[in-house]
Amino acid sequence: MLDSPKSSKSSALSAKDSVKKLKIKEETKAKGSAKGKRKQLGKKDEEVDISMASMGHPEIFPLVFTGKTQEILNCRINEDITEEKPYKLLKKEDIIQDMKTRAAVSDFHPVKKIVLEYPGEELLIVLDSEFKYGQNFYLVATEEAKESFLNPPEAEEEEADTKEGTTEEYVYKPPVRKPWVSLGSEKEIEEESVNESLRKIKYMISRVRREFGSKVKFTDRNASSVKDGYIECTSYQDKNFIIKKLEKDVGAQVIPKVKEMSTQTKWTYPRNAATQYFPREFSDEEKELCLSSEDLKEFIISVFLRVEIALQQNEIMNAFFDDWKALAEDESTFGGKSDAYLKEYQSFTDLHYLKHRTVSCVCWHPTIYGIIAVSVTERLSYEERIAQSGKLLLRKSPILFWSFSDPIHPQLMLECPEDVYCFEFCPSDPNIIAGGCMNGQVVLWDISEYEEKLQNAKTGAGGSKNTAVNMPTFIQAQQSGKEPHFVRYCAVSSIEYGHKTVITDIHWLPDYFEVNRMGIAFENRIGVCVQLITCSPDCSILFWDLRAPKPTIQSSFEKAKEEKAIEAPPDVPTTFKHLDLSWRPLIKANLSKSDTSGDYSPTKISLAEEHFHYRMQDKMQYQIKPEIFGDENPYKQLRVPSAKALKILENIPTNFFVGTEDGEVIYSDWKMERESDSGRLISQKPANKYTIHDGVVRTIQRSPFFKDIILSVGGWNFAIWKEGVTSGPILQSCCSSKRYTVGHWSLSRAGVFFIGREDGNIDIWDLLEKTHEPSQTQNISISMITCIKPWIVSSKQHFLAISDNFGTLHILEISWTLSHPSSNERASVDHYFEREVKHLDYFEKRQEFRAKERRELELETQRKKTRVAGGQKSREQMEEQLNINYADFLDEEKKILTGLGLLKATDRFA
Amino acid sequence: MAEVEETLKRIQSQKGVQGVIVVNSEGIPIKSMVDNSTTVQYAGLMHSFIMKAKSTVRDIDPQNDLTFLRICSKKNEIMIAPDKDYFLIVIQNLTE
């Protein structure tokens, strides 16, 4: 209200005072002057305080100014001090002067002390016309009050005026300042207030000075060793999260997923680009210039030493040779002797076709896996054959094809005109088979139509389309394997011009050369095998050519014969129709004995250049060949090319080894000579002949590893020959207890070969292990072994096909040690043969030497005898001499033995 | 000239040596004991190889330098003797 403007005063105290001054001013009106007087009186006694302190104004000192004082101080009422200006500033000096002059009479006496103490120069005297403070004047004791009084006197006046106006309407009672009466709130405040009840204890913790800045030492401490060494925050079930929200209101909105993307690609397209360059080279002059420069010379000289050292280092030792690996391989050969065995894989027999029959020859199919062909013949001796010749005409022995997938039913059957003793697949085309018969005919078959069937024989069910899928398997098997297909032969040779007795061996000539009528080898342009060689105990070796003879050679007689030729049955392939029944050999070579008259009767033949189509390396080459044929089988279009176009091959050896019926091994040449007088072509006489075997030579075979090593088996022993060594075999075995019937080299190991025996055993010989006896003997069957043929299917599977006299074909698997050569086996075997050759040489030389020695010795003794006095001694005398010598010898012997302590005096040798 | 020839012949006569080629610092063959196509091929291929080997050795230690280079392969060994201006390449068959 009225107080508010005053509250903005600078000094709070003065503001308050001025406010209070106003209040006091208003109030003292009612209270009157009695209070003031009383106070003054009281103050006189006190002499200290006459201020209005009790009223809240300690600086107001009410004073009575008499008229005289008023005149002295020039503050006469209504003259100097009026209502409008109720104050006057009096100088302190004047007041002091007055006090001095009038002493106790002075009106200022009660405030003497205050005046003297007053700091300022001028004191304020205020007219108190209403006697607010009890007197007509009052003195303001403080400067601040003085200032405040002086400053807002106008407001005071105004307010006083206004105050007077309003009080008529509303009696405003401003709150009266009362002394504070405690109503008990102090207790609450005390309770609420935070007081320190305890006296704070002060601690000062400090470290020892010397530890300041020292290194920190850390030690480990087990957390559980000390109580409370670790603080655990164990998990607990927080109750806040027990409540599960089972229902939740969720809103979903489907919006289509929109994605925009773009790329900018640069299309690069391939473009052909080519660069051509040639190396920088010096011209010859420049080269010359360089070569003659000094720089080059110096360079070469300086560099030469280093190069020489390096070159020689390599010569001395191969630094990169892995000794460890080489060592390991060698070890394996001496290890498992027990591992070298033949495991029975499968055996084939047929009751229908093989009754009373024996297997004469076995051949593996060169290309198709698991197919093996077997030729069977009647198991009869010669006399029996003649006796039963009538019956035999009806019972024809076939060639059977077995497949691994079906051990009971043969896959294919080839018809034979007579019993086939030997046969061979053509190396260039495995669908052509040539066989030699009992009666001396050569037979040809063409099984091209059945090739697919043989290939599908693996699956077992064959390629028959009639079988329904849901048929039970045994019926299927029956249907498919019911009857093997019967294939007729394509062609047979003419009977007059062929062999006279059984053909015991047949070979295909390799496909890179062919032979003409003179026996000279020519280049074979066709690339397939076209010629055969057969031998028979009728003392001849015949060369046959598959191609049709030139029309000009044919005589009219033969032409007529052709017309009469019987039409071949429709299911016979016409590949060799031109040969059928009119096939003549190309060359007929005789093996005449050199010292006596008569000829050798060959049983087996071994050519120098054989097409080893069962050799592993060649097999790879070979398998590619059939594809070159394309659609046209060259066998269907064989023509004899003109002789001039072909090139003579000089380096083909035309020598061959022959084994005869009498156990001889003959080395001869097939080139024909012209006899001087008659102009006929006759064959050369054999170069060498050896009688080694005691029986028929059953096998003559070249080693697949060494072209000049030949194995011959016959009678009770076998021999190994080296072509070129004419003194004899380099190895000859001792006679065995049982007859040897067949032999074959191993295809994978150079020093191993298999020999079949009469009693059904197989002897496995390993030349690197033992040469005096077989390294292993294994019994295969109860009857005589008739044929052995090994075959390599893969590096892990090596098979041995063995046939016996009862017609059973056993397929055996050759174990690892037997089939895998050691690292340097070939070289070792080679060395062995060389050693043997040297040994043979040495032996011969020693023989000569011995013979010479013996002759010399004889001469010596002769000379000695003639020198003896008395001329020749008679026979009796010589005998006597001998007896005396012998008796002397016995005495000496006795003496020596007794001397040695070996003979007791009483003992006597017989 | 004759000395050069003689020395090269001596190298050639060592056991197993298949060929000797002298190449200048740019890789152009100067003298060779093998046929032209082989020479050119070897010279071209070896040149970059020698440079690489040389720079490698010098990178590792600048005071070092390549004295001899031997490449051993399964069938033969190629030996290279480098110099400031020329290289000598010798091909030798490893003894069995």
Side-chain angles (χ1 to χ4, degrees):
Chain A
M1 283 165 29
L2 289 163
D3 305 332
S4 41
K6 293 267 169 42
S7 59
S8 57
K9 282 292 168 255
S10 53
S11 73
L13 190 60
S14 59
K16 261 198 258 169
D17 284 341
S18 51
V19 166
K20 282 173 185 164
K21 236 190 277 168
L22 252 181
K23 290 181 204 160
I24 295 162
K25 215 177 171 182
E26 311 282 350
E27 283 173 289
T28 46
K29 244 200 248 179
K31 282 182 183 167
S33 58
K35 211 179 185 181
K37 270 189 188 155
R38 203 183 34 239
K39 266 194 192 154
Q40 204 172 13
L41 283 167
K43 273 161 203 168
K44 245 188 187 171
D45 293 339
E46 287 173 3
E47 88 175 7
V48 178
D49 200 14
I50 55 163
S51 67
M52 290 280 111
S54 59
M55 277 191 184
H57 285 276
E59 70 280 334
I60 307 279
F61 295 100
L63 291 169
V64 177
F65 279 174
T66 58
K68 199 164 184 201
T69 316
Q70 285 179 21
E71 279 174 55
I72 293 166
L73 295 173
N74 300 319
C75 55
R76 289 177 275 266
I77 302 173
N78 297 326
E79 282 182 51
D80 297 307
I81 299 180
T82 56
E83 297 265 340
E84 287 83 27
K85 198 175 155 214
Y87 59 87
K88 187 155 171 101
L89 283 162
L90 292 174
K91 287 206 169 78
K92 193 175 163 183
E93 291 166 44
D94 289 338
I95 297 168
I96 292 165
Q97 187 78 35
D98 183 46
M99 278 196 292
K100 274 181 188 168
T101 51
R102 291 194 311 148
V105 186
S106 168
D107 292 313
F108 288 101
H109 187 76
V111 296
K112 181 184 173 183
K113 199 173 176 197
I114 287 144
V115 168
L116 287 170
E117 283 174 4
Y118 193 76
E121 286 287 313
E122 294 181 326
L123 280 96
L124 187 69
I125 301 284
V126 183
L127 175 71
D128 197 359
S129 53
E130 285 127 2
F131 289 89
K132 192 163 94 177
Y133 296 103
Q135 300 299 327
N136 55 355
F137 281 95
Y138 62 86
L139 171 79
V140 175
T142 60
E143 283 275 308
E144 301 92 61
K146 176 178 108 186
E147 294 299 317
S148 66
F149 193 80
L150 281 172
N151 289 332
E154 299 86 30
E156 223 181 280
E157 278 179 327
E158 288 170 20
E159 280 155 10
D161 291 337
T162 52
K163 241 332 135 48
E164 280 174 4
T166 51
T167 44
E168 284 175 342
E169 297 169 359
Y170 165 62
V171 181
Y172 168 63
K173 281 186 189 165
V176 178
R177 199 166 161 265
K178 291 180 211 162
W180 184 64
V181 174
S182 166
L183 294 168
S185 62
E186 284 158 338
K187 278 194 207 131
E188 283 175 26
I189 288 168
E190 255 188 42
E191 273 173 38
E192 292 295 320
S193 67
V194 176
N195 293 326
E196 288 172 0
S197 52
L198 296 167
R199 195 175 73 86
K200 280 192 184 154
I201 307 169
K202 254 191 189 173
Y203 283 114
M204 195 178 95
I205 306 168
S206 68
R207 263 203 317 190
V208 177
R209 189 167 168 150
R210 66 167 178 277
E211 283 183 26
F212 277 173
S214 64
K215 255 188 172 172
V216 181
K217 284 185 217 144
F218 287 115
T219 52
D220 287 330
R221 188 190 69 173
N222 196 357
S224 55
S225 60
V226 176
K227 193 176 174 250
D228 293 339
Y230 64 96
I231 295 169
E232 231 183 359
C233 291
T234 50
S235 61
Y236 65 98
Q237 187 112 12
D238 193 350
K239 298 241 173 71
N240 293 337
F241 299 96
I242 288 174
I243 299 170
K244 284 190 198 158
K245 201 167 185 180
L246 294 173
E247 269 184 28
K248 200 167 163 182
D249 248 342
V250 170
Q253 187 179 25
V254 171
I255 52 158
K257 193 169 172 181
V258 174
K259 206 168 164 180
E260 256 185 51
M261 241 192 338
S262 67
T263 52
Q264 183 90 25
T265 57
K266 192 175 168 193
W267 176 46
T268 54
Y269 47 94
R271 230 185 313 191
N272 281 336
T275 332
Q276 199 167 25
Y277 61 93
F278 60 89
R280 275 188 302 173
E281 278 182 9
F282 279 148
S283 66
D284 286 327
E285 297 93 33
E286 283 173 318
K287 276 193 193 165
E288 280 291 323
L289 194 70
C290 277
L291 281 171
S292 50
S293 67
E294 274 295 310
D295 276 349
L296 189 71
K297 198 158 60 157
E298 277 174 31
F299 160 70
I300 293 273
I301 292 167
S302 69
V303 139
F304 173 68
L305 194 64
R306 287 177 255 167
V307 171
E308 200 170 12
I309 290 171
L311 284 171
Q312 281 169 350
Q313 271 175 356
N314 277 342
E315 249 179 86
I316 295 165
M317 198 189 93
N318 184 3
F320 301 100
F321 181 66
D322 194 351
D323 294 312
W324 180 247
K325 232 189 219 172
L327 190 68
E329 285 205 22
D330 278 351
E331 281 300 318
S332 62
T333 51
F334 300 111
K337 194 176 169 181
S338 57
D339 294 351
Y341 63 93
L342 304 166
K343 197 171 66 174
E344 176 97 15
Y345 185 80
Q346 211 163 12
S347 98
F348 299 98
T349 186
D350 188 272
L351 299 164
H352 179 60
Y353 296 105
L354 299 176
K355 211 170 174 187
H356 301 308
R357 288 195 178 131
T358 170
V359 173
S360 52
C361 186
V362 171
C363 252
W364 290 87
H365 195 285
T367 46
I368 304 174
Y369 162 79
I371 302 284
I372 185 166
V374 155
S375 72
V376 289
T377 58
E378 297 287 338
R379 209 186 322 138
L380 301 164
S381 71
Y382 191 63
E383 290 83 13
E384 286 166 0
R385 253 178 215 279
I386 297 171
Q388 297 181 16
S389 55
K391 256 191 268 174
L392 284 175
L393 276 174
L394 302 169
R395 282 194 337 209
K396 296 284 182 72
S397 323
I399 291 182
L400 297 170
F401 274 69
W402 294 105
S403 158
F404 279 359
S405 54
D406 195 350
I408 307 168
H409 301 108
Q411 301 296 121
L412 207 61
M413 243 175 40
L414 300 181
E415 185 208 7
C416 321
E418 290 285 330
D419 285 351
V420 167
Y421 247 89
C422 55
F423 70 99
E424 279 250 347
F425 284 91
C426 171
S428 334
D429 183 5
N431 293 326
I432 311 281
I433 302 158
C437 290
M438 192 81 197
N439 58 354
Q441 277 183 315
V442 179
V443 193
L444 284 171
W445 289 273
D446 184 356
I447 56 163
S448 335
E449 291 159 14
Y450 302 96
E451 189 183 357
E452 234 189 84
K453 190 200 177 273
L454 282 177
Q455 268 175 350
N456 293 335
K458 253 195 264 186
T459 58
S464 62
K465 295 166 192 162
N466 294 330
T467 54
V469 184
N470 295 325
M471 261 192 172
T473 44
F474 64 89
I475 300 175
Q476 237 179 9
Q478 255 188 7
Q479 268 194 355
S480 56
K482 225 181 348 187
E483 187 71 25
H485 292 257
F486 195 70
V487 184
R488 290 183 183 279
Y489 53 86
C490 277
V492 278
S493 65
S494 81
I495 299 173
E496 301 118 45
Y497 294 104
H499 283 287
K500 304 284 178 285
T501 67
V502 57
I503 296 178
T504 47
D505 205 6
I506 185 166
H507 287 278
W508 287 87
L509 244 55
D511 55 357
Y512 44 86
F513 74 96
E514 59 176 59
V515 171
N516 76 340
R517 290 189 63 92
M518 288 287 291
I520 301 170
F522 281 95
E523 182 197 15
N524 183 345
R525 287 274 175 83
I526 302 171
V528 297
C529 298
V530 289
Q531 293 186 332
L532 294 169
I533 182 170
T534 59
C535 75
S536 148
D538 68 350
C539 316
S540 62
I541 294 170
L542 298 179
F543 284 74
W544 306 79
D545 197 315
L546 288 180
R547 296 169 291 195
K550 289 185 195 147
T552 51
I553 299 172
Q554 274 181 349
S555 61
S556 56
F557 175 62
E558 286 174 15
K559 267 191 195 157
K561 207 173 176 193
E562 262 192 45
E563 287 164 12
K564 279 192 228 160
I566 307 159
E567 281 292 323
D571 59 342
V572 169
T574 56
T575 326
F576 298 111
K577 190 154 185 289
H578 53 270
L579 296 169
D580 201 10
L581 286 172
S582 61
W583 198 10
R584 290 180 62 175
L586 191 66
I587 305 173
K588 183 166 175 166
N590 273 337
L591 290 172
S592 50
K593 292 194 185 164
S594 42
D595 35 357
T596 61
S597 67
D599 302 325
Y600 294 109
S601 43
T603 48
K604 289 283 173 186
I605 186 168
S606 164
L607 300 172
E609 298 282 322
E610 277 273 2
H611 190 116
F612 281 106
H613 61 250
Y614 43 74
R615 226 166 125 189
M616 195 63 154
Q617 302 94 294
D618 292 348
K619 199 179 173 197
M620 293 302 137
Q621 295 165 3
Y622 177 70
Q623 273 168 344
I624 305 166
K625 264 196 185 149
E627 286 146 56
I628 306 171
F629 285 160
D631 296 325
E632 296 290 326
N633 194 343
Y635 281 102
K636 303 203 193 283
Q637 301 169 3
L638 290 173
R639 300 268 179 277
V640 177
S642 63
K644 289 178 202 166
L646 295 174
K647 196 173 61 167
I648 297 176
L649 293 173
E650 298 288 337
N651 52 357
I652 303 282
T654 55
N655 305 308
F656 54 91
F657 272 88
V658 173
T660 67
E661 237 180 348
D662 302 318
E664 293 145 343
V665 174
I666 296 164
Y667 185 65
S668 180
D669 193 327
W670 74 56
K671 277 217 237 333
M672 306 291 276
E673 289 171 342
R674 273 203 191 272
E675 211 180 304
S676 39
D677 35 347
S678 62
R680 265 185 319 148
L681 290 171
I682 58 161
S683 52
Q684 294 175 1
K685 291 228 187 270
N688 304 87
K689 153 215 164 242
Y690 310 94
T691 314
I692 300 289
H693 302 289
D694 309 312
V696 176
V697 171
R698 296 277 189 195
T699 304
I700 289 217
Q701 204 196 23
R702 280 183 199 251
S703 163
F705 292 90
F706 305 102
K707 261 193 165 170
D708 49 1
I709 303 286
I710 292 119
L711 171 73
S712 72
V713 175
W716 279 269
N717 60 355
F718 71 85
I720 294 181
W721 308 81
K722 190 173 166 100
E723 198 169 349
V725 172
T726 53
S727 44
I730 56 177
L731 180 72
Q732 189 183 347
S733 84
C734 54
C735 290
S736 78
S737 50
K738 291 281 173 186
R739 212 191 271 259
Y740 286 147
T741 51
V742 70
H744 204 286
W745 287 99
S746 157
L747 296 178
S748 51
R749 288 192 62 185
V752 173
F753 51 91
F754 307 99
I755 300 212
R757 302 218 305 224
E758 210 177 22
D759 55 358
N761 285 355
I762 292 264
D763 282 349
I764 302 168
W765 287 75
D766 186 352
L767 288 174
L768 292 176
E769 209 182 313
K770 294 193 256 205
T771 53
H772 61 281
E773 61 173 18
S775 70
Q776 189 125 8
T777 310
Q778 194 168 338
N779 182 275
I780 307 293
S781 93
I782 39 173
S783 62
M784 186 173 82
I785 306 280
T786 51
C787 192
I788 299 177
K789 280 277 164 75
W791 189 247
I792 298 175
V793 172
S794 68
S795 67
K796 295 213 176 89
Q797 266 192 330
H798 290 241
F799 288 125
L800 196 63
I802 300 174
S803 62
D804 64 11
N805 212 11
F806 284 155
T808 319
L809 177 68
H810 305 265
I811 309 281
L812 298 148
E813 201 172 333
I814 307 176
S815 66
W816 176 267
T817 37
L818 262 187
S819 54
H820 276 81
S822 58
S823 56
N824 50 355
E825 179 159 338
R826 195 175 188 275
S828 311
V829 174
D830 206 15
H831 285 144
Y832 167 74
F833 287 136
E834 271 172 40
R835 279 201 312 269
E836 288 298 318
V837 169
K838 277 192 206 140
H839 170 251
L840 213 61
D841 269 341
Y842 172 75
F843 182 69
E844 272 200 24
K845 284 203 188 98
R846 282 307 290 183
Q847 289 261 13
E848 282 175 24
F849 182 68
R850 279 278 164 72
K852 213 165 54 170
E853 229 184 24
R854 227 179 293 129
R855 261 182 279 127
E856 273 176 21
L857 203 65
E858 265 177 42
L859 279 169
E860 272 290 320
T861 46
Q862 284 279 341
R863 261 183 261 134
K864 256 197 201 160
K865 278 184 212 155
T866 51
R867 258 190 259 130
V868 167
Q872 283 180 334
K873 272 197 185 150
S874 69
R875 191 185 165 81
E876 293 88 1
Q877 277 176 329
M878 276 170 71
E879 272 186 5
E880 260 187 47
Q881 184 77 28
L882 278 170
N883 282 340
I884 294 164
N885 284 345
Y886 184 59
D888 283 336
F889 162 70
L890 279 176
D891 285 330
E892 272 230 48
E893 195 188 30
K894 211 161 114 185
K895 254 190 253 167
I896 292 168
L897 285 174
T898 39
L900 285 173
L902 294 170
L903 178 66
K904 289 183 204 156
T906 52
D907 257 15
R908 280 216 73 178
F909 279 118
Chain B
M1 171 78 170
E3 274 192 50
V4 165
E5 281 284 340
E6 199 212 315
T7 319
L8 289 177
K9 270 209 176 53
R10 274 175 70 190
I11 296 176
Q12 179 88 14
S13 63
Q14 292 272 2
K15 190 172 166 207
V17 170
Q18 278 180 329
V20 181
I21 306 169
V22 178
V23 180
N24 83 339
S25 53
E26 289 175 15
I28 305 172
I30 294 175
K31 178 110 180 90
S32 165
M33 307 277 204
V34 287
D35 58 84
N36 196 31
S37 56
T38 318
T39 306
V40 153
Q41 187 180 29
Y42 268 96
L45 292 168
M46 289 302 136
H47 181 248
S48 48
F49 193 78
I50 296 163
M51 287 300 134
K52 186 77 184 173
K54 212 172 191 173
S55 68
T56 307
V57 169
R58 291 195 85 132
D59 269 346
I60 291 167
D61 181 8
Q63 286 169 346
N64 209 353
D65 200 5
L66 184 69
T67 47
F68 206 75
L69 195 57
R70 273 164 102 161
I71 305 169
C72 307
S73 71
K74 259 200 272 192
K75 291 188 186 168
N76 49 20
E77 185 168 340
I78 304 168
M79 284 173 249
I80 304 159
D83 194 60
K84 281 202 287 89
D85 305 320
Y86 302 96
F87 306 118
L88 180 71
I89 303 172
V90 179
I91 305 148
Q92 189 192 28
N93 248 337
L94 292 172
T95 51
E96 284 187 9

